[in-house]
Amino acid sequence: MDLGIKGKTAIVCAASKGLGRGCAEALAGAGVDLVINARSAGPLEQTAREIAEKYGVKVTAVAADISTEEGRAKVLAAMPNPDILVNNAGGPPPGMWHDWDREDFIKALDANMLAPIAMMKAVLPAMMDQGWGRVVNITSQSVKSPIAVLGLSNSARAGLTGYVGGTSRQVASKGVNINNLLPGIHATDRAVSLDQGVSAAQGISMEAAKAQRAATIPAGRYGTTEEFGAMCAFLCSEKAGFIVGQNILLDGGAVNATL
Ligand code: NAP
């Protein structure tokens, strides 16, 4: 399928690996020039080189912490008016409801709620002026079905989801579509660190921890970054103009709900 976005430009945040990289690769495959971001320069530059070589698009690497104002300014300076924005950042650590203090919440809110909101506020006006834009926010299945040990994530992402619910409907008439992608468990380093948490907490092997988590997914396996990226690229495509303010689960059926 021709996604109709060849020659467009995109910022993909937190994209040196994992789900962000999956989105960057799928957009590059559709012919989109990219600014990609992560904090560590080395792996990020390597990813940028690999994507540029594989897909023949322009890829600019901007090493910066997207949860900070300075980091976002650096990313936006490299591409002030992108056609497409994919918001992403690392997820907060697991823990227990009584462990978290104000500072822990502020950190989670900065990374997983306020950073994507700030990025949207920066790019939406130009998207609206040109009459075309796409924003995809990577959130989590925890928005629909809370994951108890990820209370910081549950809280911050619920806030972002509320903001997108209203904002997406305010900008849709200008040809700008904002949607959220809700990953269930995907085979990335983040999944490995959560497997390690289960392994340590229950005193079981990593293999057993992974098998235990995979057994909670009707598909019987973790998702792949390619599958995730393909859905992201579709939401960023010309074809997705009538999809507004949706929260799309990619979870292998893990959230047990009819709707
Ligand atoms: P990952 O494989 O650990 O990759 C995280 C990426 O984000 C890396 O490129 C990392 O590079 C970058 N990053 C982290 N913090 C950043 C920051 N403050 N500023 C800029 N870049 C940053 O993680 P993932 O599995 O792709 O997860 C992506 C998001 O989806 C996370 O928020 C995660 O909680 C959420 N999620 C993941 C899953 C899953 O199963 N994988 C499920 C539900 C939700 P640097 O470290 O160099 O910055």
Side-chain angles (χ1 to χ4, degrees):
M1 185 194 298
D2 177 5
L3 294 181
I5 48 176
K6 190 173 166 49
K8 292 204 183 283
T9 56
I11 293 176
V12 186
C13 303
S16 63
K17 62 181 183 175
L19 302 179
R21 178 172 179 157
C23 296
E25 289 218 31
L27 288 169
V32 176
D33 291 325
L34 304 172
V35 163
I36 62 168
N37 149 261
R39 290 164 303 179
S40 315
L44 178 69
E45 279 156 16
Q46 163 114 13
T47 296
R49 276 194 301 276
E50 288 170 5
I51 295 178
E53 261 168 43
K54 186 166 174 191
Y55 301 99
V57 295
K58 189 173 170 218
V59 186
T60 305
V62 180
D65 184 341
I66 204 69
S67 70
T68 67
E69 211 175 315
E70 311 81 70
R72 291 190 290 277
K74 269 178 85 175
V75 171
L76 289 163
M79 188 180 277
N81 297 316
D83 300 305
I84 294 164
L85 167 67
V86 179
N87 277 316
N88 186 29
M96 283 295 284
W97 58 271
H98 45 71
D99 292 341
W100 302 309
D101 296 325
R102 178 180 164 77
E103 277 318 301
D104 301 306
F105 279 102
I106 296 296
K107 224 169 147 185
L109 292 173
D110 271 342
N112 300 118
M113 177 184 168
L114 299 175
I117 289 175
M119 290 297 287
M120 282 187 268
K121 284 175 68 183
V123 304
L124 287 175
M127 288 181 178
M128 292 164 77
D129 282 349
Q130 72 176 9
W132 199 95
R134 298 284 186 267
V135 179
V136 169
N137 300 294
I138 299 179
T139 67
S140 171
Q141 80 175 44
S142 70
V143 170
K144 293 223 180 201
S145 174
I147 301 168
V149 293
L150 291 178
L152 293 171
S153 171
N154 299 339
S155 308
R157 298 187 199 279
L160 174 63
T161 305
Y163 177 85
V164 167
T167 305
S168 59
R169 286 158 173 95
Q170 290 176 309
V171 302
S173 69
K174 304 287 184 196
V176 179
N177 298 65
I178 314 177
N179 292 287
N180 301 323
L181 266 186
L182 284 53
I185 303 175
H186 282 70
T188 68
D189 287 359
R190 166 82 172 168
V192 172
S193 78
L194 293 175
D195 289 347
Q196 278 163 348
V198 171
S199 162
Q202 298 184 21
I204 58 177
S205 69
M206 277 293 282
E207 291 68 34
K210 191 172 173 190
Q212 191 184 93
R213 293 217 302 148
T216 65
I217 306 171
R221 64 172 176 88
Y222 290 5
T224 70
T225 57
E226 291 78 13
E227 290 167 322
F228 193 85
M231 178 54 103
C232 177
F234 181 78
L235 286 177
C236 295
S237 77
E238 200 58 58
K239 316 282 182 199
F242 208 49
I243 305 178
V244 173
Q246 296 303 297
N247 291 284
I248 297 170
L249 267 175
L250 287 175
D251 69 342
V255 171
N256 191 32
T258 305
L259 290 175

